[in-house]
Amino acid sequence: MKKILLLISFVSITISCSTDITDMNVDPKRPTATKPEYMFTNAQKGLVDQMSSTSVNLNVFRLFAQQWAETTYPNESQYDLSARKIPDNHFRVLYRDVLADFYDAKGMIKGQVTETEEAAIIKQNKLALIDILEAYTYSILVDTFGNVPYSQVGDIVTYPLPAYDDAKTIYKDLVARLTADVLVLKKNAATPNFGSADIIYAGDAASNGKWVKFANSLIVKLAVNISDVEPAYATTQIQAALVSGVMTENKDNTKLVYLSTSGNQNPLYADLVVSKRDDFIPAETFVEAMDAVVPGGDPRMTKYFVNATKPVPVIPPGRTFVGGTYGEANVFATYSHITATLNNPAYPGTIFDYSELQFLLAEAAEKNLIPGGSAQAKIHYDAGITASMTEWGVPAASITTYLSQPKVSYTNPLSGATWQEKIGMQAWFALYNRGFEAWTSYRRLDFPKLKSPTTAINKNILTVPVRYTYPGVEQSVNGTNYTKAASDIGGDLMNTKIFWDKF
């Protein structure tokens, strides 16, 4: 009888609770709603991770710039992009992860009802920050592929297969967006934005000025890139950005300082330490050039590289370090190694810095995009070198000595036969560990003079790639738009130049 009563009670409870069983499908540990702040933080980290990583599945720009070489598996140094679907992964991370998170955060913020004037201003500032980072992300996509989906992105219902926009048109729109964002942040300079959710500049009211400097500095970069195509437009944009305010010191650098906790570490730590692999060494292309500039080598070399003690690498006479053969498999123990500084899990990931800006302005001066000609170019050139060395901890006295050396001094022919060579070589040195920008500087200035390795030439890849080929998934899923884009840019090839790469 007790068993029967217990069964009846159980059935009664089940029936009484089952009139609405939809809550049984909800996992309390997997929320279906989130906050825009979380999406913004996640997008920031995903963006910096992608630009900082050295995973051969995601980011091979240090290899394309021939600053690093590979050891056991040299496929990427031989310009094999298809085996690991590298273009697909780069495209996927920036579109599906980074931009999608920014779009979601933007949509949620736009839908918020603000009850105070301060809340309304914070909302404006948040939207401006999202837009600045969207502009940066799209600039990377354009500089990687050329024409890319842009105007139809973000509305998957209406445009499940987005068309590709003209790269130059995208560039100009990005500049217009950045200019508008700067005006918003200047107007609202006394009000914070994302607070602690902004893991780059901290999100307080003071950070608005940092974001303004980054946005204006990015305008300078885009304008210098486009200057060989539309010099008058570039001149107008650069000079306006300078008046508005650009980076003025290393403290303005746009970087994410990582944490030592798992999941929040610099991806280099995962690639170089956690993996317990020795896949990368400095490339002899880069090491030899730095060693030849001044007696004893460029003082940044001791910050960039290290010589193992057991076994000791065989250093050529008159040299301080030795790199591996680019494009070939190399024995890790035989060569100098990458600095342990990059093995720090909390090492910052940088997407723009003051040194890069100064080299861009040196180029702008030589192109008469800003006043002053070669004399002004020298000022920016020296400032770029100084900023780089200071950031890497080179003493001030050593910097002064370096700048006076014949193969460094801007006014000495030994530092380069042309201004492109002078600026291009020193930008290459300064952009160490910022492979994408080192590759972009090389493409724009044609210095240093990099050569395709023999192994690549044997596969009929005769020059260093100047773009990624489009993702394979776009060819199969978005075929019609892909075919048109490939035709519009002159062919989906690694040697098809981005629109601004005229020489």
Side-chain angles (χ1 to χ4, degrees), residues 206-246:
S207 76
N208 291 329
K210 300 286 189 181
W211 283 107
V212 164
K213 290 181 177 182
F214 169 57
N216 281 326
S217 299
L218 181 54
I219 289 173
V220 171
K221 172 189 166 183
L222 299 180
V224 170
N225 278 353
I226 204 175
S227 62
D228 287 334
V229 179
E230 291 197 23
Y233 169 81
T235 300
T236 299
Q237 301 307 324
I238 292 172
Q239 295 190 15
L242 291 175
V243 170
S244 181
V246 295

Side-chain angles (χ1 to χ4, degrees), residues 77-356:
S77 301
Q78 298 170 5
Y79 309 136
D80 179 357
L81 295 180
S82 59
R84 299 181 189 275
K85 298 184 177 180
I86 298 167
D88 291 70
N89 296 332
H90 185 62
F91 191 89
R92 171 184 53 79
V93 168
L94 295 184
Y95 272 111
R96 189 200 67 181
D97 300 341
V98 174
L99 285 171
D101 280 355
F102 282 139
Y103 291 151
D104 286 345
K106 181 189 291 184
M108 285 185 274
I109 291 170
K110 284 183 175 180
Q112 291 176 341
V113 177
T114 54
E115 298 179 352
T116 66
E117 182 178 357
E118 182 181 33
I121 294 174
I122 291 174
K123 179 177 178 177
Q124 293 174 8
N125 288 350
K126 288 179 176 179
L127 291 173
L129 261 61
I130 291 173
D131 202 57
I132 289 170
L133 286 174
E134 282 185 6
Y136 172 82
T137 306
Y138 273 116
S139 75
I140 297 300
L141 285 164
V142 170
D143 292 345
T144 304
F145 297 103
N147 294 4
V148 292
Y150 179 69
S151 60
Q152 295 182 358
V153 174
D155 185 355
I156 195 171
V157 175
T158 306
Y159 303 110
L161 299 175
Y164 286 59
D165 293 74
D166 172 69
K168 185 171 75 169
T169 302
I170 296 173
Y171 245 54
K172 288 189 171 183
D173 192 59
L174 297 180
V175 170
R177 288 170 62 175
L178 290 165
T179 302
D181 296 330
V182 164
L183 294 177
V184 170
L185 293 176
K186 283 192 166 187
K187 181 185 68 173
N188 301 336
T191 308
N193 45 74
F194 274 100
S196 60
D198 173 13
I199 53 178
I200 291 179
Y201 285 131
D204 56 10
S207 76
N208 291 329
K210 300 286 189 181
W211 283 107
V212 164
K213 290 181 177 182
F214 169 57
N216 281 326
S217 299
L218 181 54
I219 289 173
V220 171
K221 172 189 166 183
L222 299 180
V224 170
N225 278 353
I226 204 175
S227 62
D228 287 334
V229 179
E230 291 197 23
Y233 169 81
T235 300
T236 299
Q237 301 307 324
I238 292 172
Q239 295 190 15
L242 291 175
V243 170
S244 181
V246 295
M247 292 178 176
T248 57
E249 57 181 340
N250 283 336
K251 290 181 180 179
D252 295 330
N253 292 352
T254 312
K255 62 184 181 183
L256 190 162
V257 179
Y258 286 93
L259 305 176
S260 58
T261 54
S262 179
N264 297 304
Q265 301 158 334
N266 190 312
L268 284 175
Y269 182 71
D271 299 333
L272 301 177
V273 180
V274 178
S275 68
K276 297 182 179 180
R277 297 175 62 90
D278 297 322
D279 289 327
F280 304 103
I281 53 175
E284 176 67 358
T285 318
F286 190 65
V287 177
E288 183 181 28
M290 292 196 79
D291 236 339
V293 173
V294 296
D298 187 301
R300 284 167 291 192
M301 297 183 78
T302 57
K303 310 293 182 178
Y304 291 178
F305 320 124
V306 64
N307 286 326
T309 56
K310 293 182 180 179
V312 178
V314 178
I315 307 296
R319 296 277 302 279
T320 51
F321 298 93
V322 60
T325 303
Y326 183 80
E328 302 288 344
N330 295 280
V331 178
F332 181 79
T334 305
Y335 302 98
S336 301
H337 297 160
I338 294 162
T339 174
T341 300
L342 302 186
N343 293 341
N344 180 355
Y347 188 76
T350 301
I351 61 173
F352 205 107
D353 62 26
Y354 177 59
S355 175
E356 177 187 355

Side-chain angles (χ1 to χ4, degrees), residues 461-480:
I461 304 174
L462 306 181
T463 60
V464 176
V466 291
R467 68 179 286 274
Y468 274 9
T469 51
Y470 284 123
V473 69
E474 281 291 290
Q475 300 178 38
S476 58
V477 175
N478 195 11
T480 300

